[in-house]
């Protein structure tokens, strides 16, 4: 039962979140020549996220940041864990992918800034992490933020992690995927994708938006294939949601090339802020539930 009853905690967090911080993270991540899963840029991008999230976690005894080593490629996923208190065995997952790609072929020197796809998602999550940790928020459930490696080449990072969690019997109660959050290409603000996701959780996400961001408009659409890392978790039977920046037909035409830049999104992160706020409300409302 998806109750929304943590307004006293969530509302102040959302007001502390700033588009400028999200924009800076997009700029920093898209400064790597690329973040491809097999290049030095991909390895460096992973280390950048690890260091950034470690800085945010400083001084918090119940917060850890680790890199997940993948068997088949060098780029590591990054996992920040906020350990729960009295319901810690139940886990809430929020993710985005850190890798970028240039469909012309991505070598050591090929430009693939990946500002929207998916530095924007990582940046939205990072701002949610910042305010949650700065406010010393203590969840009852365990909350995990994950920057997946190797999404562009077949959801490889998330597939390995989701399979491991299933094998280990981890009770993941909900997953949110943020992949592309800053290109405002459609009429409505947030589109909840209906395939490879969970309908009941999607209704909860829509209710989070109407409760905490009532001026925003919500639509639905579908990808028709496993279009991001939520599909890896869905395959393992976990409930997922993917709030997306546009309809499928109006998606960002610049992705997977040299033009996916912060400048080409107007050098502002106002759209991504909506998704960061949605991520924070999802994390706190689900994270605050007891056993
Ligand atoms: N396939 C996805 C991009 C993508 C995802 C959803 C929609 I709608 C349009 C485009 C991808 O490249 N993820 O990194
Ligand atoms: Zn992509
Ligand atoms: Zn993507």
């Amino acid at each position: 039962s998806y109750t929304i009853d943590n307004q006293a905690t969530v509302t102040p967090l959302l007001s502390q979140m700033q588009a400028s911080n999200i924009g800076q993270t997009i700029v920093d991540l898209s400064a790597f020549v690329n973040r491809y899963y097999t290049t030095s840029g991909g390895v460096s991008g992973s280390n950048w996220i690890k260091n950034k999230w470690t800085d945010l976690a400083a001084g918090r005894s119940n917060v850890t940041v680790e890199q997940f080593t993948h068997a088949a490629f060098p780029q590591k996923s990054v996992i920040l864990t906020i350990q729960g208190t009295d319901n810690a065995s139940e886990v809430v997952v929020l993710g985005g992918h850190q890798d970028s790609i240039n469909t012309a072929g991505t070598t050591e020197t090929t430009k693939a800034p990946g500002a929207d796809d998916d530095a924007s998602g990582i940046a939205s999550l990072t701002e949610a992490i910042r305010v949650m940790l700065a406010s010393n928020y203590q969840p009852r459930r365990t909350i995990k933020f994950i920057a997946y490696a190797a999404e562009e080449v077949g959801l490889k990072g998330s597939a390995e992690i989701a399979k491991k969690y299933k094998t280990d019997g981890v009770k993941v109660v909900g997953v949110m995927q943020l992949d592309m959050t800053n290109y405002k290409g459609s009429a409505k603000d947030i589109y909840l994708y209906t395939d490879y996701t969970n309908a009941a959780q999607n209704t909860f996400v829509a209710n989070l938006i109407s409760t905490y961001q009532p001026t925003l408009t919500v639509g639905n659409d579908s990808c028709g294939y496993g279009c991001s890392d939520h599909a890896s978790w869905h395959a393992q039977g976990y409930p997922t949601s993917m709030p997306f920046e546009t309809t499928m037909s109006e998606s960002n035409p610049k992705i997977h090339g040299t033009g996916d830049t912060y400048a080409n999104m107007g050098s502002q992160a106002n759209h991504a802020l909506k998704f960061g706020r949605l991520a924070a409300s999802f994390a706190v409302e689900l994270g605050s539930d007891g056993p």
Side-chain angles (χ1 to χ4, degrees):
S1 66
Y2 295 109
T3 54
I4 298 178
D5 53 3
N6 291 273
Q7 285 87 338
T9 305
V10 174
T11 301
L13 289 183
L14 303 197
S15 65
Q16 289 168 45
M17 296 175 71
Q18 300 170 50
S20 57
N21 290 330
I22 298 174
Q24 186 58 56
T25 299
I26 294 172
V27 165
D28 292 342
L29 279 171
S30 45
F32 294 98
V33 65
N34 65 62
R35 300 187 307 278
Y36 193 58
Y37 80 120
T38 59
T39 65
S40 58
V43 170
S44 301
S46 174
N47 292 336
W48 189 92
I49 294 166
K50 175 197 169 269
N51 292 335
K52 177 79 178 178
W53 288 6
T54 299
D55 290 348
L56 294 176
R60 286 291 303 268
S61 59
N62 68 329
V63 181
T64 56
V65 180
E66 60 179 313
Q67 284 178 302
F68 185 103
T69 300
H70 294 287
F73 47 84
Q75 187 178 59
K76 299 178 192 294
S77 296
V78 182
I79 305 175
L80 180 142
T81 301
I82 311 175
Q83 194 62 24
T85 54
D86 64 338
N87 193 17
S89 68
E90 295 189 351
V91 181
V92 181
V93 172
L94 299 94
H97 70 85
Q98 58 175 277
D99 62 313
S100 72
I101 194 169
N102 187 320
T103 43
T106 317
T107 68
E108 272 293 310
T109 57
T110 312
K111 279 188 186 304
D116 193 31
D117 189 14
D118 183 28
S120 67
I122 299 299
S124 296
L125 294 173
T126 300
E127 183 64 353
I129 293 166
R130 183 186 70 82
V131 298
M132 285 168 67
L133 296 187
S135 69
N136 199 32
Y137 167 64
Q138 299 290 346
R140 297 179 73 178
R141 286 176 164 147
T142 295
I143 301 173
K144 286 181 180 281
F145 289 88
I146 308 180
Y148 304 111
E151 183 274 347
E152 301 284 11
V153 288
L155 317 182
K156 292 183 188 303
S158 59
E160 192 172 340
I161 291 169
K163 280 174 190 160
K164 181 175 186 323
Y165 278 42
K166 192 67 178 175
T167 304
D168 294 352
V170 180
K171 276 169 34 184
V172 177
V173 296
V175 182
M176 176 172 278
Q177 175 72 356
L178 295 185
D179 185 357
M180 300 162 62
T181 65
N182 200 44
Y183 172 77
K184 178 73 166 71
S186 296
K188 293 180 175 177
D189 293 296
I190 297 179
Y191 291 83
L192 302 180
Y193 275 64
T194 56
D195 51 346
Y196 302 89
T197 61
N198 178 282
Q201 189 179 274
N202 289 340
T203 300
F204 168 60
V205 172
N207 290 336
L208 287 171
I209 297 167
S210 57
T211 303
Y212 290 113
Q213 302 187 79
T215 65
L216 299 188
T217 53
V218 180
N220 293 114
D221 205 345
S222 60
C223 285
Y225 68 102
C227 60
S228 197
D229 296 302
H230 59 294
S232 293
W233 293 98
H234 185 77
Q236 299 303 324
Y238 294 118
T240 81
S241 294
M242 188 180 73
F244 195 76
E245 65 187 8
T246 62
T247 63
M248 181 91 179
S249 63
E250 296 172 311
S251 69
N252 186 348
K254 300 269 188 190
I255 65 169
H256 302 173
T258 59
D260 184 2
T261 62
Y262 190 53
N264 280 340
M265 296 186 285
S267 298
Q268 51 75 32
N270 298 319
H271 203 43
L273 179 59
K274 303 163 194 171
F275 293 84
R277 285 173 165 160
L278 179 55
S281 57
F282 181 86
V284 173
E285 287 292 353
L286 275 190
S288 299
D289 290 338

